[in-house]
């Protein structure tokens, strides 16, 4: 079946550096994507979303890039901080469907 | 976003018993869902909780094992029936608030351990 996947399961980043988390999706019908952050013992926290009619969307210290040609999604975190240490999930869905398919998750560890 | 609470936050149960998890939202929502997150894994959709009617289950999940209720727009329950150790997971409800596009927000989760 079609699925959403992440390229790297773990990422170690020096505090202050930028982080890039990648995600591949295979369902060409997906047109809405969300990045979530999950800290230990908590539920997933909505970070940023992007619709398929956009290539880039920026939030506070985060940027999501969407490349529909190669079905690739990335999350960039600027000036990574210790509080950014968490597991990051990408999720995809189709407009009006609402059901989310999640990637495997990338564990980000920030080194002081 | 919406404020979502779940009860209980965690529980340890004996095999063969059942546990009902509650999900309460502070505002009306369009959609409510239940997900399972097995230890160290990603999230898997169990079912869509439909208001006033039977839930819609995903492949691999059945009503007898995971009965769901949604009596109104802001409340839902998930029961894990006849539990076995393989049911040890985090169970999460999620909502799509009314008036939003597709933004989906998650509750804090219920951590279930079955002995």
């Amino acid at each position: 079946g079609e699925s959403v996947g992440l390229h790297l399961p773990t990422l170690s980043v020096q505090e202050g550096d930028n982080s890039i988390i990648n995600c591949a999706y295979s369902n060409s019908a997906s047109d809405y994507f969300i990045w979530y952050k999950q800290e230990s013992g908590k539920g997933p926290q909505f970070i940023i979303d992007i619709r398929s009619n956009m290539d880039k969307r920026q939030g506070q210290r985060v940027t999501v890039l969407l490349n529909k040609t190669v079905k690739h999604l990335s999350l960039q975190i600027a000036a990574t901080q210790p509080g950014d240490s968490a597991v990051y999930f990408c999720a995809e869905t189709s407009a009006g469907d609402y059901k989310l398919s999640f990637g495997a998750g990338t564990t980000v560890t920030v080194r002081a | 976003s919406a404020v979502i609470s779940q009860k209980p936050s965690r529980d340890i149960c004996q095999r063969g018993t059942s546990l009902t998890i509650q999900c309460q939202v502070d505002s009306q929502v369009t959609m409510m869902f239940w997900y399972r997150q097995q230890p160290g894994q990603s999230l898997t959709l169990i079912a869509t909780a439909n208001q006033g009617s039977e839930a819609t289950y995903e492949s691999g999940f059945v009503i007898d094992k995971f009965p769901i209720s949604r009596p109104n727009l802001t409340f839902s329950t998930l029961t894990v029936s006849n539990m076995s150790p393989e049911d040890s997971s985090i169970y999460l409800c999620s909502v799509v608030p009314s008036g939003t596009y597709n933004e989906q927000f998650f509750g804090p989760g219920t951590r279930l351990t079955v002995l």
Side-chain angles (χ1 to χ4, degrees), chain B residues 27-77:
Chain B
S27 57
Q28 290 190 355
V29 299
T30 303
M31 307 289 288
M32 293 184 78
F33 301 93
W34 286 97
Y35 288 80
R36 181 175 73 182
Q37 186 175 26
Q38 294 178 301
Q41 303 295 313
S42 186
L43 285 77
T44 301
L45 179 64
I46 297 172
T48 303
N50 300 310
Q51 187 207 352
S53 65
E54 190 173 290
T56 305
Y57 291 84
E58 298 301 304
S59 176
F61 298 96
V62 295
I63 188 172
D64 290 345
K65 177 66 176 178
F66 297 102
I68 290 170
S69 76
R70 188 181 171 191
N72 57 52
L73 289 173
T74 62
F75 183 79
S76 178
T77 67

Side-chain angles (χ1 to χ4, degrees), chain A residues 40-55:
Chain A
S40 181
K42 298 183 178 180
Q45 175 189 352
F46 183 104
I47 301 174
I48 192 168
D49 60 353
I50 188 167
R51 303 183 193 186
S52 61
N53 61 352
M54 304 172 70
D55 297 322

Side-chain angles (χ1 to χ4, degrees), chain A residues 31-32 34 36 38 40-46 49 51 89 93-105, chain B residues 30-31 33 35 37 40-45 48 56 58 90 92 96 100-109 111:
Chain A
D31 57 10
Y32 179 63
I34 305 175
Y36 289 93
Q38 188 175 29
S40 181
K42 298 183 178 180
Q45 175 189 352
F46 183 104
D49 60 353
R51 303 183 193 186
F89 294 97
T93 187
S94 302
D97 184 357
Y98 302 107
K99 298 178 184 179
L100 293 175
S101 293
F102 279 81
Chain B
T30 303
M31 307 289 288
F33 301 93
Y35 288 80
Q37 186 175 26
Q41 303 295 313
S42 186
L43 285 77
T44 301
L45 179 64
T48 303
T56 305
E58 298 301 304
I90 300 172
L92 300 131
V96 177
T100 63
Y101 178 67
N102 270 26
E103 290 94 332
Q104 192 164 143
F105 301 94
F106 283 81
R111 186 178 297 270

Side-chain angles (χ1 to χ4, degrees), chain A residues 1 7 10 13 20 27 33 43 45 50 56 62 79-80 82 89-90 99 101 106 108:
Chain A
H7 293 306
T10 63
V13 182
I20 300 176
N27 187 346
F33 306 86
Q45 175 189 352
I50 188 167
K56 179 180 179 179
V62 294
T80 310
F89 294 97
C90 63
K99 298 178 184 179
S101 293
T106 293
V108 173

